[in-house]
Amino acid sequence: QGDSKDIDSEVESICPFCGVGCQVSLKVKDGKVKYVDGINGPANEGRLCVKGRFGFDYIHHPHRLTKPLIRREDAPAKGLNVDPENWQEFFREASWDEALDAAANGLGGLRDTHGGTAVAGFGSAKCTNEEAYLFQRLIREGFKHNNVDHCTRLCHASSVSALIENVGSGAVTATFNEIENADVAIVIGANPVENHPVAATFFKQFTKRGGKLIIMDPRGQALARHATHMLQFKPGADVSMLNAIMHVIVEEGLFDTQYIQAMTENWDEMRARLKDFTPEKMEPICGIPADTLRAVARDFAGAKAGMIFWGMGISQHIHGTDNSRCLISLALMCGHVGRPGTGLHPLRGQNNVQGASDAGLVPMFLPDYQSVTEDSIRNHFTEIWGSGDFSDQKGLTVTEILDAVHEGHIKGMYILGENPAMSDPDLNHAREALAKLEHLVVQDIFLTETANYADVILPAAAFYEKSGTVTNTNRQVQMGRPATQPPGEAREDWEITVALAERLGLNWGFTHPSQVFAEMKKGMKSLDNITWERLERENAVTYPSLSPEDPGQAIVFSDVFPREGGRARFTPADVIPPDELPDAEYPMVLTTGRQLEHWHTGSMTRRSKVLDAVEPEANCSLHPRTLKMMGVEPGGMVRLITRRGSIELMARADRAVSENMVFVPFAFVEAAANVLTNPALDPYGKIPEFKFAAVRVEPAEAK
Ligand code: SF4
């Protein structure tokens, strides 16, 4: 923190990291952000975590892209690591006109020769709602199909698929701040202290005033200290544990008959399917004593108001949709939806993953989750856009797009603000796909690992350099404002997409994101009563907002669900084991995730001085006894090997992981966790199983 007299201006915006969406005040001096304070946003009430407070200086890093770049004709092979300080061997600087022409000619040429499906797009959950909307419009309108996706596929796609199926909407039913009114809360497959730190402070407060917190996770975590129950279950055994808890609720008659009769369907089948999941039978499968399962069932069902929060420990499995189905059923049978202190809340990862999904950056849905297969819906959008029709086929998802590149069906890509060369499972396979592309346009703020494969690189503005709205995990649409100028010739993403669209024959005519927001409102009922002007005035409005004065509904589905017939549905789930079980060759379980100080693929936080100083080195966590058995000291090097590849990195002793498990954060390019991960997909959400792979761990020589 600095001295308020020592700044030129203060700008209110939104933290660009996680889905909590903390509001910030950016203190600017001489065109640079000097420090950041939290302000009184609805999600953070003045609080910030270490990333929000200290992780802003990446925007001023000398590695920022400042000019468009075009791959040199005599450049070495695509995919070789390009030094961000010494890239001239690979790329040459170009004017914006030349670079945009090259991008449009490359992608447009593939479209004209092979058809629109030869080109696909990955948009970004780090961009604004308006930018996400324009990106999906460009692919749909410009290439006439739906091969457009973004990283929601890799985080909560299975949660969204289960929520849409069973409650009719993919967003949370209550804000996380509603925990204030709850008596009991389950946090499962999430580590809020590391990944949603400001939300975690509300969870801790809840326990201080007597709320019962139930943590369920194969890994221990800091929040467990505050918990009434900590269920450290066996990795991948979520469904068996949750079904056993629901079995007890049925067996002991703890369910809410009135709610079930009035608000749900398929209860009889659900009840019948739970019959065999006795706690005694499930105990050896999930590793949780039957008595504990019974106690948790009684605490949750017996509470007046209960909430369920979950993270990627639930979603990133081949049974991720089944995991979420179980959580939805658990809440429904207890009547814990639609009242103060109740609700279902998948904690969204990136700052705008909710908004980007709402804006249609997904292959099966137009904005507001309206199906691309419905003629009337497509017609509505082509009317708004003044364009011809596009494909009624659901498009391919992130991992399917890269498979289609391998198969030769997709030959060109436009990638905005995503880093699949670090974030996709089975990275060697993903990187080979990127190398095969005939034309790749990358739009980003740094020369990312994905940019190593680019033909054209378009330099973009960072979040604190642009205007636009974002939507957090709470459904709060919030206004982001520019505090500083983009470096060099970098431009805001929406401007670049508009300019590229123009060269592809789409003359949209947008000159400000507020115009894009106004167009979005024509196709998105969720934005009713929310206007750009209102957001400029109020900073945040929760959707749905029932009138121009209504700050928005923190709790939804009090008397009706947005499904045909108005009822929520119970969808039973059976136990499906993880795709790749440990065996003699690969005897341990690999799981991946994030750390407090680093964000996703590390392109921003590893260029932030404070955050990089706190957590500078690629690391993994192993139980002290496992390290001892291997003869490795804490801090020593280990090699992790799966069927897909191997990495070497420093090992930490950590009692939070069990003896047969290794945890690896995925932010470190020098030991990229996703070289190891399994690309097997959940059949509904098409999300890969990042949370479980068979791995062998052995000592490695220190480098
Ligand atoms: Fe930013 Fe999330 Fe931390 Fe809030 S909790 S400051 S949104 S990273």
Side-chain angles (χ1 to χ4, degrees), residues 199-264:
T201 64
F202 289 89
F203 296 180
K204 288 178 201 166
Q205 276 180 338
F206 155 78
T207 62
K208 284 218 167 86
R209 60 158 188 77
K212 283 187 180 171
L213 183 64
I214 301 166
I215 308 276
M216 302 173 176
D217 202 294
R219 242 190 347 136
Q221 57 176 275
L223 209 50
R225 255 187 288 141
H226 305 264
T228 308
H229 301 282
M230 169 68 198
L231 276 59
Q232 202 163 344
F233 62 95
K234 291 184 185 172
D238 319 60
V239 169
S240 57
M241 178 181 65
L242 294 167
N243 275 353
I245 291 168
M246 288 192 283
H247 171 98
V248 175
I249 292 171
V250 173
E251 182 191 49
E252 299 189 5
L254 304 173
F255 50 87
D256 184 337
T257 310
Q258 214 178 348
Y259 184 86
I260 291 167
Q261 281 176 357
M263 297 292 288
T264 69

Side-chain angles (χ1 to χ4, degrees), residues 106-398:
L107 300 178
L110 290 170
R111 172 189 65 185
D112 299 341
T113 313
H114 303 284
T117 51
V119 176
F122 288 170
S124 174
K126 298 222 77 57
C127 288
T128 65
N129 290 328
E130 298 73 36
E131 289 165 344
Y133 174 85
L134 289 179
F135 192 88
Q136 60 86 35
R137 183 174 163 184
L138 175 75
I139 298 296
R140 292 189 159 115
E141 191 183 355
F143 295 91
K144 302 292 177 202
H145 64 79
N146 299 295
N147 290 341
V148 60
D149 206 359
H150 78 295
C151 72
T152 192
R153 192 65 42 214
L154 309 178
C155 59
H156 267 303
S158 50
S159 311
V160 170
S161 105
L163 283 164
I164 289 179
E165 172 189 53
N166 297 296
V167 299
S169 159
V172 299
T173 73
T175 63
F176 67 73
N177 312 71
E178 263 308 305
I179 198 169
E180 193 180 310
N181 298 313
D183 303 308
V184 62
I186 292 175
V187 174
I188 177 166
N191 187 347
V193 171
E194 301 262 340
N195 297 330
H196 300 86
V198 166
T201 64
F202 289 89
F203 296 180
K204 288 178 201 166
Q205 276 180 338
F206 155 78
T207 62
K208 284 218 167 86
R209 60 158 188 77
K212 283 187 180 171
L213 183 64
I214 301 166
I215 308 276
M216 302 173 176
D217 202 294
R219 242 190 347 136
Q221 57 176 275
L223 209 50
R225 255 187 288 141
H226 305 264
T228 308
H229 301 282
M230 169 68 198
L231 276 59
Q232 202 163 344
F233 62 95
K234 291 184 185 172
D238 319 60
V239 169
S240 57
M241 178 181 65
L242 294 167
N243 275 353
I245 291 168
M246 288 192 283
H247 171 98
V248 175
I249 292 171
V250 173
E251 182 191 49
E252 299 189 5
L254 304 173
F255 50 87
D256 184 337
T257 310
Q258 214 178 348
Y259 184 86
I260 291 167
Q261 281 176 357
M263 297 292 288
T264 69
E265 63 187 39
N266 211 31
W267 171 240
D268 290 342
E269 191 196 338
M270 185 76 205
R271 262 182 101 135
R273 291 276 288 276
L274 288 172
K275 210 159 179 230
D276 289 337
F277 290 90
T278 64
E280 288 70 24
K281 261 198 220 162
M282 294 303 110
E283 177 177 328
I285 299 175
C286 66
I288 302 297
D291 284 350
T292 307
L293 295 168
R294 289 187 190 282
V296 167
R298 288 169 196 148
D299 276 349
F300 189 70
K304 275 204 202 94
M307 293 188 79
I308 303 179
F309 299 92
W310 70 96
M312 282 158 238
I314 279 291
S315 58
Q316 290 177 334
H317 284 284
I318 58 162
H319 52 266
T321 302
D322 279 342
N323 287 347
S324 292
R325 285 171 174 156
C326 289
L327 296 175
I328 294 164
S329 295
L330 176 58
L332 291 175
M333 68 174 62
C334 301
H336 286 333
V337 179
R339 290 179 291 114
T342 68
L344 292 159
H345 192 120
L347 286 155
R348 307 310 300 261
Q350 300 235 29
N351 62 331
N352 198 32
V353 70
Q354 181 66 58
S357 306
D358 296 344
L361 208 53
V362 276
M364 51 293 281
F365 297 123
L366 281 149
D368 259 0
Y369 308 93
Q370 300 177 81
S371 175
V372 296
T373 61
E374 293 275 333
D375 293 348
S376 60
I377 292 169
R378 279 197 328 286
N379 290 344
H380 183 49
F381 277 93
T382 54
E383 225 175 273
I384 295 169
W385 298 343
S387 70
D389 198 7
F390 56 92
S391 172
D392 61 358
Q393 304 292 306
K394 292 176 184 175
L396 300 176
T397 59
V398 164

Side-chain angles (χ1 to χ4, degrees), residues 593-613:
R594 299 196 303 256
Q595 287 178 295
L596 171 63
E597 294 80 6
H598 284 303
W599 184 252
H600 278 231
T601 64
S603 57
M604 293 151 71
T605 48
R606 295 200 75 197
R607 291 182 173 97
S608 170
K609 251 192 213 137
V610 171
L611 301 178
D612 195 48

Side-chain angles (χ1 to χ4, degrees), residues 19 24 26 32 46 78 227 252 292 296 329 339 361 390 394 434 446-447 484 495 537 564 569 684:
V24 294
L26 305 167
K32 290 195 166 184
K78 280 185 176 181
E252 299 189 5
T292 307
V296 167
S329 295
R339 290 179 291 114
L361 208 53
F390 56 92
K394 292 176 184 175
L434 293 170
F446 293 114
L447 250 171
T484 59
E495 274 184 279
R537 239 179 9 251
E564 214 178 307
R569 179 186 159 81
Y684 308 97

Side-chain angles (χ1 to χ4, degrees), residues 15 17-18 20-22 48-49 51-52 197-198:
C15 172
F17 291 109
C18 88
V20 171
C22 297
L48 291 181
C49 79
K51 286 193 289 292
V198 166

